[in-house]
Amino acid sequence: MKTQLFPAEHLKEAAALIKRGGLVVFPTETVYGLGASAFNPVACARIFSAKGRPSDNPLIVHVATEAQLADVVAELPAQAQALKQAFWPGPLSLIVPKNAALPDIVTAGLPTVAVRWPGCVQAQTFLQECGVPVAAPSANVSGAPSPTTFEMAKSAMLGRVEGILAGDDCEEGLESTIVGFFEGRARILRPGSITADQIAHVLGCQPGDLGYVAPEGRPLSPGLKYTHYKPAAEVRLFRSASELGSLDVEGHKVGVMLVGPDPVPSADWAVLRFDGWKAFGHGLYASFFELDRVGCTLILAQLPDAQGFGSAIANRLSKAAGVQPPI
Ligand code: TXA
Ligand code: MG
């Protein structure tokens, strides 16, 4: 398939493609999304094939007007309303009862829908131009890291979609925080840059109350059971640079991602240093992309404490490394 590349100023043409039933990759403040009209079930079905995504893994619907929101949801429970007031537009997805008119393929048959009003102005303008809510998972092939730059979006989706809209590098760099409501209690299903402390503050509960526990091993969010965020290179985690010297890296071309100035044991390693965890989170997927590009076969990535924004980074790194995320 021929993929049209749209410079940012050609946003209207990209939106017109969505209206015509096309798939268009577009930037948001979290990661690039792979969008289709949420009310076009044929186009939504093509999202799943373009990504190689299992059909039981529902999509997030993006809105940028109250009317679009009303088309997607049946109602916003009081807690969802409070979080909307506090964090939208922004990097938060809410799982709420779906509008009966929304095609079932979007929610993989679930009675609930994940909905988000993105903070990025370009995404909002795009959604308003589309004139319909836009279903959009992250624009990666299923299992791979999410694209956070136009380069990465092209590399992942060229030939798989009708259009890719260029934009700035994503400001957050990690996917939205997802909050669901189960038996009247809010739960964080996926940590992101909006933290448990911030959400608890708004809801008047303790951050610890927001923890997610799978009932009888069944994930509350279908996506949680799949492997995610893996670059081509193997990923191994470390906590402190002092551990690096004792790791067995025999036979590997090594890349390392760390926070701060600590030395690394070999001058042959490709080293990506970050100024703090915010910068690390922002650059996480782009670093995976870069280290894959230069041919690293092993990426050593520093693991933060699973506190605040560190939980989001620890969650993605653990999945990339194929280990259990820290609680
Ligand atoms: O930042 C983001 O959220 C990005 C940008 C493009 O908005 N999107 C994104 O979508 O990360 P995706 O599809 O990669 O992740 C959506 C997650 C999946 O784990 C899915 O299982 C979960 O949301 N999800 C969607 N609808 C759900 C529902 N009704 N109930 C529970 N989980 C749901
Ligand atoms: Mg994703």
Side-chain angles (χ1 to χ4, degrees):
M1 175 189 308
K2 170 111 178 68
T3 301
Q4 263 182 283
L5 300 178
F6 298 99
E9 59 276 17
H10 289 197
L11 176 148
K12 280 193 180 179
E13 284 99 309
L17 254 185
I18 292 271
K19 286 190 247 188
R20 293 203 299 273
L23 301 187
V24 177
V25 171
F26 66 100
T28 81
E29 77 276 31
T30 56
V31 301
Y32 277 70
L34 164 49
S37 163
F39 283 88
N40 182 331
V42 175
C44 289
R46 291 178 52 232
I47 291 180
F48 289 89
S49 42
K51 268 182 76 86
R53 184 178 180 107
S55 60
D56 68 347
N57 194 2
L59 310 175
I60 296 181
V61 181
H62 297 69
V63 299
T65 65
E66 290 292 341
Q68 289 180 351
L69 178 62
D71 285 344
V72 170
V73 309
E75 53 164 334
L76 281 191
Q79 289 175 311
Q81 191 69 42
L83 295 175
K84 168 182 185 269
Q85 290 301 331
F87 302 115
W88 278 3
L92 175 72
S93 297
L94 297 171
I95 310 280
V96 294
K98 87 185 254 293
N99 190 312
L102 186 71
D104 285 333
I105 188 164
V106 174
T107 62
L110 293 175
T112 52
V113 60
V115 61
R116 181 162 103 79
W117 189 318
C120 153
V121 173
Q122 193 190 4
Q124 288 181 28
T125 313
F126 175 70
L127 293 167
Q128 285 157 8
E129 280 296 332
C130 289
V132 283
V134 171
S138 49
N140 51 283
V141 170
S142 213
S146 304
T148 57
T149 67
F150 181 49
E151 276 315 301
M152 292 170 75
K154 281 190 292 187
S155 165
M157 286 295 145
L158 217 56
R160 293 174 184 261
V161 295
E162 277 81 21
I164 304 180
L165 175 61
D168 293 334
D169 295 357
C170 301
E171 193 177 330
E172 301 289 346
L174 294 183
E175 302 83 354
S176 60
T177 305
I178 301 181
V179 175
F181 305 91
F182 302 91
E183 288 154 5
R185 286 184 62 180
R187 305 278 195 184
I188 295 179
L189 302 185
R190 180 176 71 187
S193 59
I194 294 180
T195 63
D197 281 354
Q198 289 175 285
I199 290 165
H201 182 76
V202 170
L203 297 181
C205 63
Q206 296 301 316
D209 296 342
L210 298 168
Y212 130 82
V213 185
E216 292 149 22
R218 191 166 54 88
L220 294 176
S221 185
L224 296 173
K225 69 180 187 229
Y226 294 109
T227 319
H228 267 138
Y229 320 122
K230 270 189 192 306
E234 176 189 343
V235 176
R236 269 190 242 160
L237 309 179
F238 65 94
R239 284 210 169 260
S240 148
S242 60
E243 296 161 39
L244 289 171
S246 55
L247 297 179
D248 177 11
V249 299
E250 186 70 37
H252 281 292
K253 178 165 166 65
V254 178
V256 59
M257 299 166 52
L258 79 170
V259 165
D262 290 330
V264 302
S266 168
D268 293 338
W269 292 6
V271 182
L272 297 177
R273 287 185 192 282
F274 300 90
D275 232 354
W277 290 109
K278 191 76 200 166
F280 187 103
H282 166 79
L284 175 62
Y285 296 139
S287 304
F288 281 173
F289 184 73
E290 176 60 15
L291 295 172
D292 272 347
R293 195 186 63 80
V294 300
C296 290
T297 57
L298 175 63
I299 297 174
L300 306 174
Q302 191 168 13
L303 188 66
D305 289 337
Q307 297 284 327
F309 184 50
S311 317
I313 298 173
N315 169 277
R316 307 309 189 276
L317 282 179
S318 304
K319 293 193 175 195
V323 301
Q324 198 64 24
I327 304 294

